[in-house]
Amino acid sequence: DVVTSNALYSAQPVGVLSGVDFKSTGEVRRVDADKIHAYLDGGAVVLLTSLGYSASGEVYNVPAVEVAARAAGALKASKLIYLTGARLVMHSQLGGAGASAVPVDQRPLVQSMRLAEARELVRYWDTRSEVAAARLPEAADPAARSRYESAEFVVGGLCKRCVEALSSGVNRAHLVPPAPGALLQELYTLDGAGTLIAYDVYDGIRIATAADVPGIAELTAPLEEQGVLIPRPLHELTRDVHQGFYYVLTRDANILACAMLKRYALDCAELGCLVVSPRYRKEGRGDSMLSFLERTAISAGVSRLFALSTRTMQWFTERGFVEVPVSELPERRQRTINLARGSKVFMKGLNSPRELDAEELFWAADAPQSRQARGG
């Protein structure tokens, strides 16, 4: 059954913004999530219309993109999907100084973004708009209306709604072209058909600084004593941190995890010293660090990531690494490896951020991180 009702959400007038009277244009005031959940639990399909009613009975035209975003956030939906002919493509602020001179239909599609990146993009668009990018003013100025209806502002408005939804608890948002098979391609293939915007599971991860050296040393010391990690003199750790090889996951100035990413060839880098504080294990933080460093490596042009291990072989195998002989390592790394330790070498091919997005589906949802944190 398909269910629709005027009581599933309430509306209120937009009012006057920047001197423009939006008249009968409204915005969502409140979504009745409990009522919608009751219909969904009963097997019904719920249809929300753009006609929203205020508490006093006035009718307002609420943009459908806003209704979708607010409803998805209130329901804590897994996905928010917009079908749109506007494409999120590389522009000057994303693809280099000369990118804006390339015709829009020839610019590369942005396949995926993190929530933090989408927020920055929305801020950029907001500085260029006089009224919220997600609404089309019912103004008499044809030039102004044309500007707002341009593809850039349409996709900018949709990105803004995606950011709002993800900040309210939605895990992923998609911008999908209205083409045959596009939705299936977007949801069930690695490359997708449009743009994926995902909640930032990397909140708190940053490159380490000199001030982090004591915390990293304290975190790794127990594993060095157990022989799991090779002991690193403090001056070597300080040098590697200064050269930008170390990353940390922090909360309230406390280091919860650390890892090293060191490049040995144009296409090959080592993942090392991946340590999570015992208090915060079994929460997906190791996966967060691994995925973050894989994305960092991909953005730097690295296509092969390797790790040495004597105790955590299964962990790497479960995450797509394959055991390879020492001869597969870059020559510079082969010259420094301690063969007497008998470390196993594991290698993983890195393809695209969309493949990492697919991998996160299997671990991010199970990590017992709070919904409050997930809401950004």
Side-chain angles (χ1 to χ4, degrees), residues 236-256:
E236 290 186 7
L237 176 60
T238 302
R239 179 200 62 200
D240 287 346
V241 168
H242 178 71
Q243 293 178 342
F245 296 147
Y246 273 83
Y247 294 79
V248 292
L249 169 60
T250 64
R251 175 188 289 176
D252 299 329
N254 297 314
I255 297 178
L256 309 187

Side-chain angles (χ1 to χ4, degrees), residues 75-152:
L75 296 171
K76 298 295 184 285
S78 176
K79 291 179 179 290
L80 170 65
I81 301 174
Y82 287 118
L83 297 179
T84 174
R87 302 167 67 244
L88 181 57
V89 298
M90 293 291 187
H91 202 269
S92 56
Q93 76 276 14
L94 293 175
S100 59
V102 180
V104 173
D105 59 352
Q106 296 180 20
R107 297 177 195 165
L109 179 72
V110 178
Q111 289 189 319
S112 65
M113 300 178 71
R114 312 308 298 179
L115 177 56
E117 296 171 326
R119 281 197 179 110
E120 288 301 316
L121 193 57
V122 168
R123 290 191 189 101
Y124 167 80
W125 271 315
D126 278 350
T127 61
R128 302 177 58 187
S129 66
E130 301 165 353
V131 184
R135 297 194 183 91
L136 298 178
E138 295 182 4
D141 183 358
R145 187 170 183 84
S146 175
R147 184 171 69 253
Y148 278 92
E149 289 179 331
S150 67
E152 179 174 331

Side-chain angles (χ1 to χ4, degrees), residues 26 63 68 72 82 96 98 104 124 129 156 176 183 255 262 265 298 310 313 354 359:
Y82 287 118
V104 173
Y124 167 80
S129 66
V176 184
L183 184 58
I255 297 178
K262 191 172 185 179
I298 289 174
T310 58
M313 292 82 76
R354 284 298 291 251
E359 291 179 6

Side-chain angles (χ1 to χ4, degrees), residues 11 86 108 166 174 182 248 276-277 283 293 295 309 316 329 336:
L166 267 63
H174 300 259
V248 292
V276 179
S277 171
E283 295 184 0
L293 295 180
R295 290 179 186 276
S309 178
F316 285 105
L329 295 177
T336 61

Side-chain angles (χ1 to χ4, degrees), residues 134-254:
R135 297 194 183 91
L136 298 178
E138 295 182 4
D141 183 358
R145 187 170 183 84
S146 175
R147 184 171 69 253
Y148 278 92
E149 289 179 331
S150 67
E152 179 174 331
F153 281 93
V154 169
V155 76
L158 293 177
C159 281
K160 185 171 186 175
R161 296 305 178 190
C162 290
V163 167
E164 293 173 358
L166 267 63
S167 299
S168 298
V170 177
N171 290 333
R172 294 164 184 264
H174 300 259
L175 305 180
V176 184
L183 184 58
L184 293 176
Q185 183 180 347
E186 174 68 13
L187 298 181
Y188 296 105
T189 67
L190 292 179
D191 292 334
T195 298
L196 163 67
I197 303 176
Y199 170 77
D200 198 346
V201 295
Y202 310 129
D203 187 32
I205 301 179
R206 58 172 174 79
I207 194 166
T209 66
D212 298 316
V213 171
I216 296 174
E218 181 181 355
L219 188 63
T220 58
L223 295 181
E224 291 177 354
E225 294 173 359
Q226 298 169 23
V228 177
L229 294 178
I230 298 176
R232 288 173 172 80
L234 194 60
H235 72 275
E236 290 186 7
L237 176 60
T238 302
R239 179 200 62 200
D240 287 346
V241 168
H242 178 71
Q243 293 178 342
F245 296 147
Y246 273 83
Y247 294 79
V248 292
L249 169 60
T250 64
R251 175 188 289 176
D252 299 329
N254 297 314

